[in-house]
Amino acid sequence: MKRSMKGKLLATVLSLSLLPFGGLAYAADSSFTSTSVISSSSGATAASGGVLDESQAKISKDEAVERFKKLFPDLFKDAEVVSVDLGNPNQYPPSNEMIWTIQWSISVENGTHGFDSAIDAITGDIITYYNPLPKEEAYYPAKVSREEAEKIAKQFISVASPSLKTADKLQLKPIESDYPQALFGSVQYSFSYQVQVNGIPSSNSQIQVVIDGNGKITDYRGFGSRTDYPSSETTLTAEQAAEKMKKDLKLQLAYIPGADYYTNRTNTSAYRLGYIATGGIGLIDAKSGKYFDEQGQQADSLPSSGYSAITSSAAPFQPHKGEELTKEEALEIVSAITGSDVSEDTIQASSSDRNGRKTWSLWLGDPFNGPQGRAEVDAATGQLIEFYTYSYPSGNSSAQETAKPAISEADAKTKAQDLVTKLYPNASGSLKLIDRSGTVSYSPDTAYMFSFQQFYKDKPVQLSNVQINLDGQGNLTQYYATTTPTDKLSELDSLTAKISEDEALKLYRDAISTELQYTTIGGNYVGGKLQEQQTKLVYTPVIKELENTGVILNAVTGKLEQQFDFYGTTAEKGELPADAKKHWASKSLQTMFDYGIIKPDSDGLIHPDKTVNNGDWINMLQAGFTGGINYITSDKQRFADIPVGSEYAQAVEYLVQRGFLKASPTQKLHPELGLTRGDLAVWLTKLLKYEKLSEFMASGTDVSKLKDAAQIKNKGAVTIAMKLGLLTADKGKFNPNAPVTRAQISIVLLRLATLQDKVDTPIMNNNNY
């Protein structure tokens, strides 16, 4: 499994806030860590007291600016320096890292671009660089291959990160790109390297380089030097650490959603029944042999995560009845929630259609002074969908960071249970409070965080949660519900466990090993106080070859699987099946296979001569645009024969929203019918935005000379397809009614991709992402 850094970050955050994995300590990943108990860091830290001293910098402001100009002359030759700050002023609270943050401004024809870059003030290592200017897009086939781009990346790292004496200290990570490469998208290569210290991987020290298909560096994420790495000596072995985790492992049976959960929570057909780890899996200090708990403190054992029934005397949520809520009624609901009047003078309200239901979006507060917030209310039921507040820092933030909450944790827990009872339908019947301390948070504005897990028939439904955050006074600062619709839960009844808990424990334990690595503990808030960051030598769990964040044991098959495949995740595709390797179109089939456009059937074969139907073609197009990752779903049926749950529904929605299909709920799309050459010609002109031109060229002489011209319905489309070399005639015939095979479609799609940089409007322009 190959996973992007963004996907890893999301996985980590979810494991911290939503899942009962044994707390924050479990979230350590050998390749990415979160900014809570386990946090990434760069740059040497400030002297005691947290005050940055410019005299301690070994790289001056001027040297920092000149270094960027020398490394990236094309970008910075016309750039102006707006400011240079020691630390990161764009972070709250401001970081105490010894890095120079430079704000730049560049004037171009269409306006002014402002952006930041950062450099380590001790070593001169580049921390962040990004080129924001419009650039020449590189489409398939790229001028630079992945192998050539990798050489460029390694050569540049040796210059951009001088603290690394040789590239031999880098461990190349199996990350191909932040997001799967799309055939019709701009080509870019992403390389991620992990730094080793004392021969041990440092989980929070990564270098990432993004290079476009023209060989230009567009993005660079480096790391800063640290001088406080512990020695490599340990008091226990990796095997002993693994045995400790195996002994303490606890599992629970749960419903596991599919990869499309956040875009389509109604797709319960993709759910699995599996065992999740609720205890025993976590970071172990390699010096002391103890676990790190949620607060970053050492503990002999990690408590097994559990759930408690909601106890509240508050009146349960009652849905609004009658006509849809007015703006004023929505305001009243928010006022009741916040406990204070919300003035119409300080809000901006708008109504919108959210997945088939009308909602009121309310922006609260004076945008120029004081706290602000946003609320979204269902106009039909009056249910709060989302709420959060925020404020911009002013003055000295240290008082906020160390302020002791005025409300106790016990009282905060009571307040949270009362709130969820009042805000969420049948909260006590469908939710349970996740048992963990509420004092660990990620912001000085949040003192307590409580998560409520959705249950169905005594089993937790993973990722289906309600989150409530409170400040030190007990005021609501954030509320959101991501739960599976109750009318869909009965579809989970078909899932029955075939693997017992004892069998699952044995299989899971047999797969556990550990890896020695450096990671950073601290950087979160406990009771409103910022915890000091410290680099520790730890053993982190490794579950077979899977990512250690979110591994389940499938209760039906008995196999260990990744709990979720996040956007930004691409699966190993393996080798091209044998029947495609031997085919005359093997090269084109290989490309389509690599891009995930043509996939093997259930028998593991491609079947190159199999005909393509309309539904197959639509799915292929969507994969060509997105690399197989679709962020768009809809609760609306776009065509009479494409229900919302259809295997073609996502691709149809994608093409509708991009104008390549015109929705017509009363008409049929006929996904089962074979795609003909005539149909394909029409599609090609549509994709190239030549539909009007095809009308003009309908009387083209080339097509009229064909032996079967009378059978061609859209002569203009065929004329364009033939003139561009996308489709060709055979023995004087076009054969418009002939079906198209997978092999033939691979040839045509490859020809179409090579036209991207030769047409005035590329298929994958900014309006088509």
Side-chain angles (χ1 to χ4, degrees):
M1 181 68 66
K2 298 185 179 180
R3 178 183 300 257
S4 75
M5 291 179 66
K6 294 179 181 177
K8 287 179 179 294
L9 176 58
L10 179 56
T12 301
V13 171
L14 286 171
S15 68
L16 304 185
S17 62
L18 301 181
L19 305 176
F21 275 143
L24 301 175
Y26 177 77
D29 188 286
S30 61
S31 55
F32 200 82
T33 50
S34 78
T35 54
S36 50
V37 164
I38 303 160
S39 61
S40 62
S41 61
S42 60
T45 56
S48 60
V51 178
L52 293 170
D53 183 356
E54 290 191 15
S55 67
Q56 299 298 313
K58 296 182 180 180
I59 305 295
S60 69
K61 288 182 180 180
D62 293 340
E63 289 172 329
V65 171
E66 288 304 313
R67 181 150 168 71
F68 274 103
K69 289 184 175 181
K70 182 177 180 180
L71 283 173
F72 308 99
D74 292 342
L75 176 63
F76 291 110
K77 64 182 179 181
D78 298 321
E80 295 183 4
V81 176
V82 177
S83 65
V84 183
D85 297 285
L86 193 58
N88 185 358
N90 302 317
Q91 175 180 318
Y92 180 68
S95 74
N96 63 344
E97 299 163 325
M98 290 291 287
I99 62 174
W100 291 113
T101 299
I102 309 171
Q103 292 186 335
W104 306 85
S105 176
I106 297 181
S107 296
V108 292
E109 292 181 1
N110 58 345
T112 301
H113 293 265
F115 61 99
D116 295 346
S117 57
I119 185 172
D120 193 300
I122 304 299
T123 65
D125 286 358
I126 302 300
I127 304 298
T128 58
Y129 160 78
Y130 175 70
N131 186 341
L133 298 183
K135 56 185 178 296
E136 179 186 359
E137 298 288 359
Y139 295 109
Y140 179 91
K143 296 178 182 177
V144 173
S145 68
R146 181 172 181 81
E147 291 71 23
E148 293 169 330
E150 185 175 352
K151 292 179 181 179
I152 295 172
K154 287 186 175 181
Q155 183 179 8
F156 182 76
I157 288 173
S158 64
V159 179
S161 295
S163 66
L164 292 173
K165 292 184 173 57
T166 67
D168 294 337
K169 289 188 177 181
L170 299 180
Q171 176 185 339
L172 181 62
K173 294 176 55 55
I175 299 175
E176 290 189 352
S177 62
D178 280 348
Y179 293 98
Q181 186 72 55
L183 177 65
F184 297 116
S186 181
V187 178
Q188 65 175 20
Y189 308 104
S190 180
F191 303 96
S192 186
Y193 302 83
Q194 188 173 68
V195 177
Q196 294 184 344
V197 178
N198 300 323
I200 299 169
S202 180
S203 68
N204 55 299
S205 296
Q206 279 195 349
I207 294 178
Q208 186 181 36
V209 191
V210 179
I211 297 175
D212 67 18
N214 294 320
K216 301 290 185 181
I217 297 171
T218 62
D219 198 350
Y220 186 87
R221 296 289 183 268
F223 76 103
S225 62
R226 293 188 62 90
T227 58
D228 55 352
Y229 284 94
S231 70
S232 58
E233 297 178 356
T234 66
T235 59
L236 73 165
T237 65
E239 290 74 17
Q240 290 171 327
E243 286 303 315
K244 183 177 179 68
M245 293 185 194
K246 292 178 182 181
K247 178 183 176 182
D248 296 339
L249 177 68
K250 292 180 176 61
L251 299 177
Q252 178 167 27
L253 197 59
Y255 295 108
I256 316 297
D260 63 343
Y261 175 78
Y262 282 103
T263 57
N264 186 13
R265 284 195 285 275
T266 64
N267 185 23
T268 49
S269 62
Y271 280 44
R272 294 163 290 169
L273 188 61
Y275 290 95
I276 59 173
T278 60
I281 298 294
L283 295 183
I284 295 179
D285 190 309
K287 304 289 187 182
S288 67
K290 294 184 176 182
Y291 287 103
F292 283 107
D293 64 16
E294 288 187 335
Q295 300 186 12
Q297 303 299 314
Q298 293 195 13
D300 292 326
S301 63
L302 292 176
S304 177
S305 297
Y307 308 93
S308 298
I310 295 174
T311 57
S312 173
S313 58
F317 171 81
Q318 295 295 330
H320 168 76
K321 296 181 180 179
E323 296 182 358
E324 290 183 343
L325 292 171
T326 64
K327 179 182 70 174
E328 291 73 22
E329 289 172 325
L331 280 174
E332 289 178 10
I333 291 175
V334 176
S335 294
I337 293 167
T338 60
S340 60
D341 291 334
V342 179
S343 171
E344 290 189 50
D345 297 332
T346 60
I347 68 108
Q348 292 180 346
S350 63
S351 62
S352 60
D353 187 285
R354 175 170 170 152
N355 293 331
R357 62 178 179 175
K358 181 181 177 181
T359 65
W360 281 106
S361 296
L362 309 173
W363 294 92
L364 315 173
D366 185 343
F368 302 104
N369 185 30
Q372 301 169 49
R374 181 182 180 276
E376 189 169 5
V377 180
D378 189 304
T381 65
Q383 182 181 348
L384 183 68
I385 298 172
E386 181 181 58
F387 173 81
Y388 63 85
T389 61
Y390 59 93
S391 58
Y392 291 104
S394 60
N396 189 348
S397 63
S398 60
Q400 273 187 289
E401 294 173 25
T402 59
K404 183 178 180 179
I407 183 175
S408 69
E409 182 177 3
D411 289 341
K413 184 181 292 187
T414 299
K415 178 73 175 287
Q417 293 182 87
D418 288 345
L419 281 169
V420 77
T421 300
K422 292 187 290 186
L423 298 176
Y424 189 84
N426 189 30
S428 62
S430 60
L431 303 175
K432 290 185 180 181
L433 174 65
I434 298 179
D435 293 332
R436 67 162 64 108
S437 171
T439 61
V440 178
S441 65
Y442 316 117
S443 166
D445 297 325
T446 297
Y448 301 102
M449 300 176 63
F450 297 98
S451 297
F452 297 86
Q453 180 78 54
Q454 185 178 25
F455 268 72
Y456 179 66
K457 293 188 175 180
D458 297 324
K459 298 182 185 68
V461 182
Q462 288 302 93
L463 298 188
S464 292
N465 297 77
V466 177
Q467 183 71 32
I468 289 181
N469 297 349
L470 306 174
D471 65 16
Q473 306 299 315
N475 299 314
L476 181 66
T477 60
Q478 187 171 29
Y479 171 91
Y480 60 87
T482 53
T483 54
T484 301
T486 55
D487 61 344
K488 291 289 184 179
L489 290 174
S490 62
E491 296 177 12
L492 302 179
D493 291 338
S494 61
L495 297 175
T496 303
K498 296 182 180 179
I499 305 296
S500 69
E501 184 174 339
D502 288 340
E503 292 172 325
L505 277 169
K506 183 181 185 306
L507 291 168
Y508 206 115
R509 283 171 175 156
D510 289 344
I512 295 176
S513 61
T514 63
E515 178 184 63
L516 191 63
Q517 66 175 224
Y518 287 108
T519 195
T520 302
I521 305 297
N524 62 306
Y525 294 85
V526 177
K529 185 176 181 179
L530 180 64
Q531 303 299 294
E532 179 185 0
Q533 290 187 356
Q534 300 179 59
T535 300
K536 297 289 186 179
L537 183 63
V538 303
Y539 284 108
T540 186
V542 177
I543 315 298
K544 276 194 171 180
E545 296 180 355
L546 299 172
E547 301 292 351
N548 62 17
T549 306
V551 174
I552 71 164
L553 191 134
N554 192 305
V556 177
T557 66
K559 294 182 179 180
L560 283 162
E561 300 171 352
Q562 208 67 54
Q563 182 163 359
F564 358 84
D565 289 333
F566 293 101
Y567 294 131
T569 301
T570 53
E572 292 274 11
K573 297 184 177 67
E575 291 187 8
L576 182 69
D579 64 334
K581 282 184 178 180
K582 300 175 182 178
H583 199 270
W584 61 266
S586 60
K587 291 184 178 180
S588 297
L589 288 166
Q590 178 73 64
T591 302
M592 296 302 110
F593 178 76
D594 291 341
Y595 279 96
I597 295 173
I598 292 180
K599 301 175 182 178
D601 287 344
S602 57
D603 60 3
L605 299 176
I606 293 292
H607 299 289
D609 297 319
K610 182 178 180 179
T611 57
V612 176
N613 61 34
N614 290 330
D616 296 334
W617 167 246
I618 288 169
N619 281 344
M620 287 178 182
L621 278 182
Q622 185 261 334
F625 280 119
T626 67
I629 300 299
N630 187 3
Y631 299 86
I632 298 174
T633 58
S634 175
D635 290 336
K636 298 178 180 178
Q637 185 164 335
R638 297 298 191 176
F639 292 91
D641 55 352
I642 307 291
V644 172
S646 166
E647 61 182 306
Y648 311 115
Q650 286 193 352
V652 166
E653 183 66 24
Y654 184 93
L655 295 176
V656 165
Q657 293 201 21
R658 275 142 190 79
F660 293 124
L661 277 176
K662 186 175 181 180
S664 180
T666 61
Q667 295 184 6
K668 293 184 176 182
L669 195 61
H670 297 293
E672 77 287 350
L673 293 182
L675 178 72
T676 67
R677 284 171 53 83
D679 295 334
L680 182 56
V682 173
W683 265 105
L684 294 173
T685 57
K686 187 182 300 184
L687 294 171
L688 291 166
K689 304 172 185 65
Y690 286 161
E691 290 177 281
K692 289 186 178 180
L693 181 62
S694 68
E695 295 176 7
F696 176 76
M697 300 185 70
S699 59
T701 56
D702 292 347
V703 171
S704 62
K705 293 179 181 179
L706 293 172
K707 296 177 182 178
D708 55 357
Q711 300 177 30
I712 301 174
K713 296 178 182 179
N714 193 323
K715 293 181 173 58
V718 171
T719 298
I720 290 176
M722 292 182 62
K723 283 187 175 295
L724 291 176
L726 298 173
L727 294 171
T728 59
D730 181 29
K731 298 179 181 180
K733 291 185 177 182
F734 181 74
N735 299 312
N737 299 317
V740 183
T741 66
R742 290 182 175 182
Q744 292 167 342
I745 210 73
S746 70
I747 296 288
V748 173
L749 284 174
L750 207 56
R751 291 171 179 171
L752 184 63
T754 60
L755 285 178
Q756 287 258 85
D757 60 351
K758 299 177 179 66
V759 293
D760 294 329
T761 306
I763 298 171
M764 198 67 174
N765 59 30
N766 291 334
N767 295 323
N768 293 126
Y769 280 103

